Amino acid sequence: MALITVSGYPSSGKSRRAEQLKTHLEARLRDPGYAGPNLKVSVVSDDVLNIDRQVYNDGRAEKPARAALFTAAQRQMGQDTILIIDAMNYIKGFRYQLYCAAREQKLRVCTMYVAATPEICKEWNASRQDGRAYAPETLDNLLLRYEEPSSMVRWDSPLFTVPWTDDDVPADEIWKAVTEGIVKPPNAGTQAVPKAPTDALRTLEHTTTTMVSAIMAEQTASQGTGGPVTLSLSATLRQRLTLPARNITLSELQRLKRLFVTVHKKAITLGTTEKGAVDWSETSIADKFASYIEGNLKP
């Protein structure tokens, strides 16, 4: 249904804001006036995944921790879930990765930026009594590395900023974004490329060779009068096409066959980004080759 990415400085109050938002969303879903789909609200965070704050002391340890967060988010993304990612999400590339994963699932997206000054974050971090405080040097390093969200980039938009001075989150605006916002299609670059059947190359070569032989046989029988003809390619396959009123040489047909096969071999071996499944059956190949011949044979 939707992905809400929470971002902000460490110890800026992100978890409190995420809990406030979760409470508001669940209240709206329980409201008797709500007539939408049956949804649940889930939160994925470092705390839920038991990721220790110490991983942010070392870049090599941080990378698998961030991967664990991303994997957990992917598992919970779905049309029946409003998912809140409660973490720093301080790297814009990581926010873009979450955005692309959400688009793959056809989810609405938005970002909640929990804003607080570095001084406030340091004060709140020092006062933590839950054992989840950042080491002072780690906190300073993360504050310097933080990449602030921007409403000007698509993966952070729509962006809702919540200052530390506000008592609550903008629940009405976020609710509208996750229930009425635009669902963007998946990025073409991230879509899985449909694979051709294992026998597609053999079918392509066999069908085009059979058609060339059938055209030459039909031309011999009709003395090159041309016009609409029906080729018998197998016991079950018949193909209609229109031939020009002249003698077609075998070299002409062989040249067209080579060009046609070369183009379609590339589509088979490298894949295709055509929407929907690509049909590599004998009938489909015969139809395409017939159209190709009609369009490329000179009258």
Side-chain angles (χ1 to χ4, degrees):
M1 175 63 175
L3 171 72
I4 303 171
T5 302
V6 180
S7 183
Y9 283 154
S11 294
S12 60
K14 297 182 299 299
S15 294
R16 179 170 66 92
R17 298 302 191 183
E19 191 57 38
Q20 286 178 331
L21 180 58
K22 183 174 184 287
T23 300
H24 282 295
L25 295 176
E26 288 179 334
R28 286 177 177 270
L29 292 172
R30 291 193 302 267
D31 190 295
Y34 173 69
N38 187 23
L39 301 174
K40 62 181 178 181
V41 182
S42 296
V43 176
V44 171
S45 67
D46 287 353
D47 294 344
V48 170
L49 299 176
N50 293 316
I51 296 175
D52 195 279
R53 296 289 193 272
Q54 299 304 314
V55 301
Y56 294 103
N57 297 339
D58 181 5
R60 289 173 297 180
E62 181 185 343
K63 190 173 181 179
R66 196 161 54 243
L69 180 69
F70 180 73
T71 300
Q74 279 188 305
R75 287 199 190 103
Q76 295 205 40
M77 288 181 187
Q79 294 299 320
D80 63 342
T81 303
I82 299 176
L83 181 61
I84 301 172
I85 308 297
D86 171 24
M88 281 185 293
N89 298 317
Y90 70 96
I91 302 172
K92 62 184 178 182
F94 183 64
R95 295 197 299 270
Y96 177 70
Q97 192 177 3
L98 289 169
Y99 166 81
C100 289
R103 286 183 63 172
E104 282 293 306
Q105 298 289 331
K106 298 182 180 179
L107 308 182
R108 295 181 176 89
V109 295
C110 71
T111 302
M112 183 170 69
Y113 173 37
V114 181
T117 64
E119 292 73 23
I120 289 291
C121 294
K122 291 177 181 179
E123 180 184 331
W124 287 350
N125 184 67
S127 65
R128 296 192 75 151
Q129 303 296 322
D130 57 3
R132 293 188 175 275
Y134 295 90
E137 58 275 14
T138 302
L139 181 62
D140 289 337
N141 184 267
L142 289 171
L143 290 172
L144 289 173
R145 288 159 53 194
Y146 185 78
E147 297 175 336
E148 186 174 318
S150 169
S151 60
M152 300 299 290
V153 297
R154 62 188 183 281
W155 57 87
D156 289 333
S157 182
L159 177 65
F160 303 96
T161 301
V162 187
W164 77 95
T165 53
D166 286 4
D167 293 329
D168 210 344
V169 297
D172 292 342
E173 291 85 352
I174 294 176
W175 171 259
K176 186 174 182 180
V178 300
T179 57
E180 302 176 19
I182 298 171
V183 179
K184 296 182 180 179
N187 284 328
T190 63
Q191 291 187 40
V193 177
K195 292 185 178 179
T198 55
D199 64 342
L201 283 172
R202 187 201 66 80
T203 304
L204 175 65
E205 186 66 38
H206 174 75
T207 303
T208 52
T209 299
T210 303
M211 281 189 65
V212 168
S213 299
I215 290 171
M216 293 304 296
E218 177 64 32
Q219 182 174 247
T220 300
S222 64
Q223 300 298 316
T225 56
V229 297
T230 300
L231 306 178
S232 179
L233 304 180
S234 69
T236 58
L237 180 58
R238 302 287 187 275
Q239 180 62 49
R240 288 185 59 82
L241 79 159
T242 301
L243 298 176
R246 66 175 179 84
N247 284 322
I248 305 168
T249 64
L250 179 60
S251 61
E252 280 184 283
L253 292 177
Q254 292 286 17
R255 181 181 60 82
L256 292 176
K257 172 185 171 294
R258 281 194 302 271
L259 292 172
F260 180 83
V261 168
T262 299
V263 170
H264 288 78
K265 268 187 178 179
K266 180 181 272 190
I268 291 172
T269 54
L270 300 182
T272 176
T273 56
E274 291 182 32
K275 294 183 178 180
V278 179
D279 186 359
W280 293 105
S281 66
E282 286 185 345
T283 303
S284 176
I285 292 173
D287 284 339
K288 290 178 180 178
F289 190 38
S291 298
Y292 186 78
I293 288 174
E294 289 176 344
N296 289 276
L297 271 182
K298 295 180 180 179

